[in-house]
Amino acid sequence: MTLEEIKALDRQYIMPTYSRFPVAVDHGQGATVWDVEGKEYIDFTSGIGVNSLGYNHPLWTRAVSEQAAKLGHICNLFYSEPYVRAAERLCSRSGICNVFFANSGAESNEGMIKLARKYSFDRYGKGRGTVITLNKSFHGRTITTLAATGQEVFHNYFYPFTEGFRYADANDLDSVEEVAGHDVCAVMVELVQGEGGVLPLDQEFVRKLAQLCQKRDWLLLVDEVQTGIGRTGTLFAFQQYGIQPDAVSFAKGVAGGLPFGGVMAGEKCRDVFTAGTHGTTFGGNPVSAAAACQVLDLLDDDFLQGVREKGSYLREQIEGMDLPCLGETRGLGMMIGVEVRGERTNRELAEKLVENGLLILTAGQGLRLLPPLVITREEMDRGLAIMRETLGALT
Ligand SMILES: *Cc1c(COP(=O)(O)O)cnc(C)c1O
């Protein structure tokens, strides 16, 4: 089908929840994709931080097709090998005790909120179910995770929202203390706020927050849906913050392109979920789990070192462009935000870049780069050249 044919069917049959770029992607290789008309694009998006191994990685494709041929699904009332292998890899490399597998970020966060509320209920009974989250956070699109999201624009239309969330300012411990109370069971944060604009939390704030949580027996919940699985240059971002969270959620990049995610529990809450208290039909799906094992096996120390180096390279190159429409860069590893200055919006800049062959994202007021972790130097340089030429030509 041509782009126009696809657009016509989309317009007729798909609910218009996305403002899409006018490109229909057909296939990819590495960090390069081609649209249905054969035009080539460098990918600085990985879906949205999902295709960590890029497109058609030979090991990923093999792991997925072999598992699909063997066992595509079995319900959670039976054991199977792929999900325990994935769990062993995640836990042994993060100092976390156990995991519940889900299918998406929002669902993983729902699990994490349930875990925190039940932990508190088991110890203290009712009335201690409030979770403090941060302004500019993003935790998902279900009714509860929308309520958890600390951005007013998301608290619309879908009333009534789940109660039990209060919002504090990032990097401001006083603000957390101000909204605290006897009804609080947990604090939930992204260590680098992704959708909010690629805003890393301060090391000192996070360490003090962890101490405060410890003191009050609040669980420290870290949403690593975007920052996790190598994106920031360590397996999890919390490993660069010198803290050990009580629970960690992950999704996006974990299975390199298939729906997968979950919530991991530390010592304090390893026994909170018991038979019948949580579950999901697709969670721990064998094909997704086999893909996750392959992703995790490739993300060894050398690979993660490479992620940190590529992230620094991209940021240096972008800052070196010295373009009037771009300001500072920020982020961690290969999760990079670029400030946008001047008349044009981030969306307008992104549209021009896509038109010229570079897939890129926006976040907050800026541009956001989440390239496949396997992107080569040559692909980075081609993407950077498109940025330099496209944005340099703007008046
Ligand atoms: C994307 C994202 C989510 C939601 O994940 P879905 O898979 O879209 O449900 C939650 N939290 C963070 C930090 C995210 O970046």
Side-chain angles (χ1 to χ4, degrees):
M1 283 193 242
T2 65
L3 172 64
E4 289 313 317
E5 287 165 341
I6 293 171
K7 273 169 77 174
L9 289 175
D10 179 293
R11 202 177 307 118
Q12 188 172 357
Y13 294 114
I14 300 295
M15 296 187 194
T17 58
Y18 304 105
S19 38
R20 299 186 208 272
F21 293 102
V23 176
V25 178
D26 185 68
H27 63 282
Q29 184 67 48
T32 309
V33 299
W34 287 266
D35 70 13
V36 290
E37 264 112 44
K39 182 173 161 184
E40 188 175 300
Y41 301 80
I42 296 294
D43 179 29
F44 278 2
T45 70
S46 314
I48 300 181
V50 167
N51 299 293
S52 35
L53 307 183
Y55 302 86
N56 194 26
H57 190 289
L59 296 176
W60 182 89
T61 306
R62 191 172 76 192
V64 168
S65 24
E66 283 182 2
Q67 185 57 48
K70 221 173 135 192
L71 180 73
H73 174 79
I74 186 72
C75 77
N76 279 313
L77 301 177
F78 299 98
Y79 295 97
S80 67
E81 188 180 308
Y83 74 83
V84 289
R85 289 174 60 221
E88 182 185 29
R89 282 161 172 74
L90 286 162
C91 295
S92 68
R93 292 176 63 183
S94 59
I96 292 241
C97 299
N98 55 19
V99 54
F100 172 89
F101 284 122
N103 312 284
S104 71
E107 199 195 334
S108 302
N109 285 336
E110 287 263 353
M112 188 155 71
I113 293 160
K114 284 178 72 176
L115 186 81
R117 286 184 170 175
K118 184 162 184 298
Y119 168 82
S120 190
F121 183 90
D122 290 346
R123 291 191 69 147
Y124 303 98
K126 273 191 185 163
R128 196 175 177 277
T130 298
V131 178
I132 298 175
T133 66
L134 298 180
N135 290 317
K136 298 199 176 155
S137 59
F138 180 80
H139 297 298
R141 297 279 193 167
T142 61
I143 297 279
T144 297
T145 55
L146 279 175
T149 293
Q151 300 186 50
E152 274 307 313
V153 290
F154 287 104
H155 304 160
N156 247 311
Y157 319 121
F158 310 112
Y159 300 100
F161 287 98
T162 309
E163 47 186 296
F165 293 94
R166 286 206 290 275
Y167 316 99
D169 289 334
N171 300 324
D172 182 350
L173 206 68
D174 292 341
S175 160
V176 177
E177 301 259 29
E178 263 163 44
V179 299
H182 295 297
D183 58 344
V184 171
C185 66
V187 180
M188 175 165 165
V189 301
E190 301 160 84
L191 293 170
V192 183
Q193 297 185 314
E195 304 302 312
V198 192
L199 310 166
L201 297 190
D202 294 344
Q203 292 272 344
E204 155 118 337
F205 168 73
V206 172
R207 269 197 304 275
K208 288 198 167 145
L209 181 65
Q211 285 163 10
L212 182 66
C213 287
Q214 183 77 29
K215 203 172 93 193
R216 304 266 187 108
D217 197 21
W218 299 342
L219 296 185
L220 179 57
L221 314 177
V222 180
D223 176 351
E224 295 243 22
V225 169
Q226 193 159 152
T227 53
I229 320 296
R231 176 53 56 188
T232 63
T234 45
L235 190 61
F236 290 100
F238 78 77
Q239 294 167 318
Q240 292 176 64
Y241 276 84
I243 55 161
Q244 190 66 31
D246 297 304
V248 178
S249 63
F250 59 93
K252 290 198 164 89
V254 64
L258 291 177
F260 205 48
V263 53
M264 303 197 294
E267 199 60 53
K268 260 189 180 181
C269 41
R270 63 180 302 165
D271 298 322
V272 166
F273 281 156
T274 51
T277 52
H278 197 41
T280 174
T281 300
F282 286 112
N285 170 269
V287 180
S288 297
C293 289
Q294 187 55 71
V295 169
L296 292 164
D297 285 345
L298 275 168
L299 266 52
D300 61 11
D301 289 344
D302 284 347
F303 185 99
L304 294 170
Q305 168 78 22
V307 171
R308 296 194 290 274
E309 284 165 11
K310 289 183 213 179
S312 306
Y313 178 73
L314 286 167
R315 287 179 64 177
E316 277 159 26
Q317 292 293 311
I318 291 168
E319 296 202 345
M321 286 176 196
D322 227 358
L323 296 167
C325 63
L326 299 185
E328 307 242 289
T329 69
R330 55 179 175 250
L332 207 58
M334 284 171 87
M335 180 171 178
I336 300 171
V338 189
E339 192 190 323
V340 167
R341 290 187 175 156
E343 303 283 276
R344 289 188 180 77
T345 63
N346 53 358
R347 173 77 192 193
E348 288 170 312
L349 298 190
E351 278 168 6
K352 290 239 174 335
L353 290 167
V354 170
E355 202 179 297
N356 288 340
L358 178 66
L359 305 189
I360 196 160
L361 299 162
T362 59
Q365 312 302 316
L367 293 173
R368 173 174 46 158
L369 281 64
L370 298 171
L373 304 179
V374 296
I375 192 169
T376 62
R377 174 68 175 262
E378 197 243 326
E379 286 168 320
M380 287 192 286
D381 285 341
R382 279 163 57 206
L384 290 163
I386 295 170
M387 278 183 89
R388 201 176 291 112
E389 282 154 32
T390 307
L391 304 181
L394 299 177
T395 47

